[in-house]
Amino acid sequence: MSALTPASEVLLRHSDEFIGRHVLFAGDLQDDLPANFEAESVRVHTNQYHHWQMLSASMEEDVQFGLVANAEFVAGSDLLIYYWPKSKQEARFQLFNLLSLLPVGIDVFVVGENRSGVRSAEEMLGELCQLGKVDSARRCGLYHGRLDQQPEFDADAWWQTYMVEEVTVKTLPGVFSREGLDSGSLLLLNSFEEPIKGKVLDIACGSGVLGAVLATYSPKMKITLSDVGAAALEASRATLAANNLQGEVIASNVYSDITGRYDMIISNPPFHEGLQTSLHASEQLIRGAVNHLNIGGQLRIVANAFLPYAALLDATFGSHEVLAQNGRFKVYLATRGRPPRDTKKKKR
């Protein structure tokens, strides 16, 4: 078993509650507790592709990845354990989806770190499920209640739209920069002075805004968008469709499902896993880029200025440039050079 999160440790203090139950896990799972959980049966619905990768190796078909759960998958569950994410709207979207499919009377446990706002679960579900706190430890709260009535849920009602110049951007709860273009992405977009040609990969694409804006002004560009979030993948597909753009959208944990080479890789990479600061994905992005770029291909990313990416870019590519910066962000550019030739003479 991998190291457990504080939320999982609090949950295990109540392990007797789950013996003999048909448990459905969902929400912001960050460890493999479900794969080793003592219950009559365990299933997991996750909106995160890397969580699905972690659990599916041992749980196989008992793990489902997707934007919304389906009735057949959750059927038979008599207890829901939901891990609270950092986005309240994402929690509402996921919980209302799940509770619309689960039977009245089902036990509902909600667990999460206090700083994530898990306390608001009581108010959010007040008319559906009277939650009460049953434990508090490790700076986490555990809440329990029983479902009194199923909510109505229509995934189409959760879409939001905003414009970036002439580009229509479609977003869903939990997608980065849901309310509008963030200043880091704007700085990255403004660093492009000419149309782009060739194959471009956008990693951690979110709503697909970077790829869509660049493709709109670069008719000879071929875009591939990738992300681990089911909501981001659906939003990216919708953004491309709204702007009549062609592109491929791939679920991938950085390069896990990426094949082939590109002329450019772009990204506004995350540096959090849930609420915790984590540079792991960004480090993978930089180190692995040389294996997915053509010779002369470029990696162009935007990041908070305090993050230590300059040394990593130099170690990986040999050098880098700072194309743009402001008080918070820097845009980095690194180019894959031609590998050194082997000058040793072959023995005759």
Side-chain angles (χ1 to χ4, degrees):
M1 181 184 292
S2 64
L4 295 180
T5 62
S8 288
E9 291 178 346
V10 172
L11 191 67
L12 284 179
R13 289 155 59 107
H14 302 264
S15 56
D16 290 347
E17 299 280 347
F18 312 119
I19 301 296
R21 306 298 296 273
H22 298 279
V23 179
L24 174 66
F25 280 86
D28 191 22
L29 290 158
Q30 295 178 36
D31 57 41
D32 62 355
L33 177 63
N36 304 278
F37 199 70
E38 292 188 28
E40 183 66 23
S41 68
V42 178
R43 289 191 168 187
V44 178
H45 172 75
T46 177
N47 301 81
Q48 297 294 317
Y49 185 66
H50 57 311
H51 297 166
W52 175 86
Q53 286 179 312
M54 174 178 62
L55 294 168
S56 62
S58 57
M59 298 185 69
E60 299 180 344
E61 295 182 358
D62 288 328
V63 184
Q64 180 190 66
F65 165 70
L67 177 64
V68 295
N70 62 61
E72 181 179 358
F73 183 80
V74 305
S77 302
D78 61 17
L79 189 149
L80 171 66
I81 296 174
Y82 182 80
Y83 283 68
W84 192 264
K86 63 182 180 180
S87 165
K88 183 177 179 179
Q89 278 301 307
E90 183 179 16
R92 177 182 285 272
F93 178 92
Q94 293 172 359
L95 280 167
F96 276 49
N97 167 226
L98 293 163
L99 296 177
S100 72
L101 301 173
L102 294 168
V104 170
I106 191 172
D107 282 288
V108 177
F109 286 84
V110 177
V111 65
E113 293 189 41
N114 294 327
R115 61 179 177 147
S116 72
V118 67
R119 297 182 184 91
S120 62
E122 293 179 278
E123 180 181 358
M124 179 185 294
L125 299 181
E127 297 181 2
L128 307 173
C129 178
Q130 293 294 322
L131 292 178
K133 181 180 281 191
V134 295
D135 201 355
S136 180
R138 301 294 309 276
R139 299 181 181 177
C140 294
L142 176 64
Y143 299 79
H144 170 257
R146 288 184 174 87
L147 184 63
D148 296 320
Q149 71 177 79
Q150 293 175 313
E152 294 184 0
F153 179 80
D154 177 8
D156 291 338
W158 294 79
W159 285 98
Q160 288 190 1
T161 302
Y162 63 89
M163 302 295 295
V164 177
E165 298 181 3
E166 301 175 0
V167 177
T168 301
V169 182
K170 308 289 286 186
T171 68
L172 284 165
V175 177
F176 179 64
S177 292
R178 185 179 183 228
E179 305 298 328
L181 186 67
D182 62 287
S183 57
S185 294
L186 178 60
L187 187 67
L188 177 58
L189 286 173
N190 287 339
S191 73
F192 290 91
E193 299 178 351
E194 299 178 355
I196 305 167
K197 298 178 181 179
K199 297 172 60 179
V200 177
L201 171 64
D202 180 1
I203 294 179
C205 60
S207 63
V209 58
L210 293 177
V213 170
L214 293 175
T216 296
Y217 299 102
S218 303
K220 294 184 179 181
M221 176 179 125
K222 184 177 181 181
I223 188 68
T224 297
L225 307 174
S226 74
D227 205 288
V228 294
L233 297 170
E234 290 297 325
S236 291
R237 292 186 185 100
T239 296
L240 291 178
N243 296 282
N244 297 313
L245 295 170
Q246 298 297 315
E248 187 175 13
V249 180
I250 300 173
S252 183
N253 181 11
V254 193
Y255 299 109
S256 67
D257 291 67
I258 301 297
T259 59
R261 293 184 181 273
Y262 294 82
D263 300 298
M264 180 177 292
I265 297 172
I266 60 172
S267 185
N268 183 351
F271 62 99
H272 290 95
E273 173 68 18
L275 292 170
Q276 307 302 321
T277 298
S278 174
L279 303 182
H280 181 65
S282 297
E283 290 172 352
Q284 284 186 307
L285 167 69
I286 293 171
R287 289 195 177 100
V290 291
N291 297 321
H292 293 277
L293 284 170
N294 292 316
I295 294 173
Q298 296 181 337
L299 172 68
R300 191 181 300 211
I301 63 173
V302 62
N304 289 73
F306 67 85
L307 294 172
Y309 292 154
L312 183 57
L313 287 163
D314 287 345
T316 304
F317 288 89
S319 64
H320 76 277
E321 301 175 53
V322 176
L323 296 181
Q325 59 184 312
N326 55 27
R328 291 185 59 195
F329 299 99
K330 289 183 179 181
V331 175
Y332 296 98
L333 174 69
T335 303
R336 184 196 172 203
R338 190 176 297 276
R341 296 178 63 183
D342 186 357
T343 57
K344 294 182 180 179
K345 295 182 180 180
K346 296 180 180 181
K347 294 183 180 180
R348 295 185 179 273

